[in-house]
Amino acid sequence: MTSILVRAGLSLALLSPAALLAATPAQPAPAAKPVAAAKKNWLATTSRTAEGAIVVGNPAAKVKLVEYLSLTCPHCADLSTQSMPALQRDYIAKGLVSFEVRHAVRDGYDFAASLLLRCEPPTRYLESLEALFATQGDWMEKALTAKDIPGFDGKSGDEKMAAVAKAAGFDSFFAKRGVTPKAYAACMADTRAKEQLGRMAGNAWQRDQIPGTPLVLINGQRQEAVHSWADLEPLIKGALK
């Protein structure tokens, strides 16, 4: 990382000749203290696991927090609303906690929302995740109207997903976050992204046998019945000791 160098001392041009003659021999200037390197923005530090889960925060954080979640799960929305501001400000931003999200997709509405969310730049991931949870009731109600579209039942799986996303207002939602119509269409047509999301969901429910969402892991250990920040923060603090 580039550091800023500080140079100490006075220019001789700023002193008069008389002052120079009268001056005692100059002592070596004390070594300048280096300016601290810019603080790492851990909230903008992201990576993906081999299975495609997005991880936000310090890779060397003492606490590795994992959440299995569903975007159509009301309990997940409650946990996000309560937890995310403090979790980001007090723990992720300070490099103490890294946060990995595993999408345990439950239905087609969840799949469409998760697919589009994961196509965004990872640095906007948590912000958009919060926004989707904050408006969950609104976009879910709209998404349900897609089944009333004439000929909906006869559409292909991809056509149904596109109709659901359109009905939910995801095109407008993500456009406000900088996703162009071209990028939106490319995401909806991304076969590899769909397959990866499908595998992640399958691993959550079948391989990992999660009992439901949300499910939290702290340093690999399952934490049962975590549904609020009051439940979660003491566990994080305990793991930091």
Side-chain angles (χ1 to χ4, degrees):
M1 179 178 293
T2 304
S3 61
I4 301 172
L5 300 180
V6 177
R7 301 186 181 277
L10 297 173
S11 170
L12 294 180
L14 299 179
L15 300 176
S16 68
L20 285 173
L21 290 172
T24 56
Q27 298 299 315
K33 294 182 179 180
V35 174
K39 191 174 182 180
K40 182 76 172 180
N41 183 1
W42 293 118
L43 286 170
T45 303
T46 63
S47 61
R48 287 184 187 254
T49 68
E51 293 185 353
I54 293 174
V55 184
V56 180
N58 180 4
K62 184 173 182 180
V63 175
K64 306 291 193 292
L65 174 64
V66 176
E67 182 181 354
Y68 293 85
L69 58 77
S70 163
L71 292 178
T72 56
C73 161
H75 296 300
C76 299
D78 289 342
L79 181 59
S80 175
T81 299
Q82 294 180 37
S83 302
M84 289 306 295
L87 176 62
Q88 292 183 78
R89 180 189 66 240
D90 298 335
Y91 296 98
I92 300 176
K94 294 179 180 179
L96 302 173
V97 173
S98 65
F99 181 43
E100 175 185 337
V101 176
R102 298 179 186 175
H103 287 264
V105 176
R106 305 191 311 167
D107 50 61
Y109 311 111
D110 186 2
F111 193 95
S114 298
L115 177 68
L116 288 162
L117 172 63
R118 287 166 49 76
C119 282
E120 278 216 285
T123 52
R124 293 207 302 262
Y125 180 77
L126 290 184
E127 178 186 348
S128 294
L129 178 67
E130 284 185 274
L132 282 168
F133 274 138
T135 58
Q136 183 189 76
D138 180 54
W139 62 258
M140 281 186 64
E141 183 177 356
K142 293 177 180 177
L144 289 169
T145 66
K147 67 181 186 307
D148 298 326
I149 296 172
F152 181 80
D153 290 339
K155 294 181 181 293
S156 68
D158 284 347
E159 290 172 335
K160 287 180 178 178
M161 185 173 67
V164 164
K166 178 70 174 178
F170 290 153
D171 51 350
S172 174
F173 178 94
F174 287 100
K176 291 176 181 177
R177 285 158 176 75
V179 178
T180 65
K182 183 178 179 179
Y184 180 93
C187 182
M188 293 295 290
D190 191 336
T191 300
R192 290 183 64 185
K194 293 174 189 175
E195 290 174 348
Q196 186 178 64
L197 180 57
R199 284 194 299 271
M200 185 183 298
N203 288 341
W205 295 110
Q206 297 160 21
R207 184 195 66 190
D208 300 341
Q209 304 254 312
I210 67 170
T213 55
L215 176 67
V216 167
L217 310 182
I218 293 182
N219 292 339
Q221 298 299 312
R222 289 194 182 196
Q223 308 297 323
E224 304 296 338
V226 174
H227 297 297
S228 69
W229 183 235
D231 296 330
L232 180 57
E233 188 176 27
L235 298 173
I236 293 173
K237 287 182 174 180
L240 286 170
K241 289 181 179 178

